[in-house]
Amino acid sequence: MAENTVQTTGHTWDETLQEYNNPLPNWWIYGLYVTVAFAIVYWILYPSWPVGKDHLRGLSTVTYMNSAGQAETNGWNTRAKLLKEMQDGNALQKPYFDKIAAMPVAQVVKDPELNSFVLSAGKALFSENCAACHQAGGQGKVGFYPNLADDDWKYGGSVGEIEATLVGGRRGYMPAFSEALEKSQIEAVANYVLGLSGHAVDKVKAAEGDALFHSNTGACYYCHGADAKGRKEFGAPNLTDKIWQWANVPAATDVNSKVAVVQKVVTGGLNKGVMPAWGGESARLNPGQIKLLSIYVHELGGGK
């Protein structure tokens, strides 16, 4: 037979119609055999086919520590595999957590290896526990959750103060002045507060608001301080900067709108600045994790 002659199966129909013989390539056949062999081995090792009300559980096992702290071996499944991987990961991280727990914060920040671990592990902890409220980058949301990426700290921005916030939680509160002050007085206070951060306001109303702010009638100075720069023991914000957490002044388009959003806060007060405690008896985070997260959040705000 000539080299380029096409092979046929020898079957002929209608005297001229023939069936070519085109066998599959060897590599394809071998690939099929390997796939079948792999499937058989997989069925033996791992859970596979249903059998009655159960299924083939396979020969592969996973050993991990149960809630009682004892080694437990089960047939392979994704839950057991996840527990094992988490425990292995925790075991690898434990030496770093131990070092951080034993070292002063200043040394941790200066140590390149530990500082790198803080940034990576801290980001993971923040994403899992904090980002739902404070957003992924810590920028927060005006009217709801504080911005952790600036250098404005209502309860103090040292690592120790941030750690205290995480352990005990916070509950911000400001009383409503709708009954203590008349509407015109609230408007005057709003003008004064807005003017503290450099906005153009009604000077006459602002002067009246100044008097009310520092009087026993308004008594705003008690929490925010006579200089209106806030008091961290109360979590009372600095009113002289241009950082607005509860009144969305930056989104307002004109002076009247800006006064209105401040006036709304003064009128209705605030009782929603609540952050749960992450420490204590029912702690979700252990002390090492809280310290690491405190350092991470501290660095988010520029390390001040």
Side-chain angles (χ1 to χ4, degrees), residues 153 155-164 232 294 298 304:
W153 302 93
Y155 293 95
S158 69
V159 173
E161 289 166 329
I162 295 171
E163 190 170 0
K232 65 182 181 181
S294 300
H298 179 259
K304 295 184 179 180

Side-chain angles (χ1 to χ4, degrees), residues 138-289:
Q139 68 271 23
K141 188 174 182 180
V142 175
F144 294 94
Y145 311 106
N147 184 350
L148 304 179
D150 57 18
D151 60 355
D152 180 57
W153 302 93
K154 292 178 178 59
Y155 293 95
S158 69
V159 173
E161 289 166 329
I162 295 171
E163 190 170 0
T165 295
L166 285 170
V167 171
R170 296 295 184 185
R171 186 177 184 85
Y173 173 75
M174 175 180 152
F177 285 86
S178 55
E179 296 183 3
L181 299 176
E182 297 177 1
K183 185 176 180 180
S184 61
Q185 291 177 312
I186 292 176
E187 184 180 0
V189 171
N191 272 272
Y192 171 69
V193 170
L194 190 62
L196 287 172
S197 57
H199 291 85
V201 295
D202 187 313
K203 293 183 179 180
V204 175
K205 291 179 179 179
E208 181 186 351
D210 185 356
L212 285 166
F213 188 96
H214 295 93
S215 71
N216 290 331
T217 303
C220 308
Y221 73 94
Y222 183 78
C223 291
H224 293 284
D227 57 1
K229 291 188 176 180
R231 295 176 63 181
K232 65 182 181 181
E233 62 267 33
F234 297 136
N238 182 352
L239 303 178
T240 66
D241 56 22
K242 294 185 178 181
I243 299 173
W244 298 92
Q245 169 56 39
W246 303 111
N248 196 357
V249 171
T253 56
D254 54 56
V255 174
N256 291 333
S257 299
K258 294 178 188 293
V259 171
V261 294
V262 177
Q263 190 173 342
K264 182 178 179 181
V265 173
V266 178
T267 301
L270 294 168
N271 193 24
K272 56 182 179 180
V274 179
M275 188 187 97
W278 295 89
E281 295 181 357
S282 58
R284 179 169 178 174
L285 300 176
N286 62 47
Q289 290 173 318

Side-chain angles (χ1 to χ4, degrees), residues 62-65 78-94 97 128 289:
V62 179
T63 301
Y64 57 90
M65 303 300 291
T78 54
R79 179 179 178 276
K81 182 174 181 290
L82 175 61
L83 287 172
K84 172 66 173 174
E85 290 177 349
M86 291 177 63
Q87 290 173 1
D88 289 345
N90 290 338
L92 291 173
Q93 292 182 348
K94 189 177 184 304
F97 276 108
E128 182 179 352
Q289 290 173 318

Side-chain angles (χ1 to χ4, degrees), residues 47-59:
S48 54
W49 293 100
V51 177
K53 294 183 178 181
D54 203 350
H55 61 275
L56 297 179
R57 297 184 176 275
L59 300 178

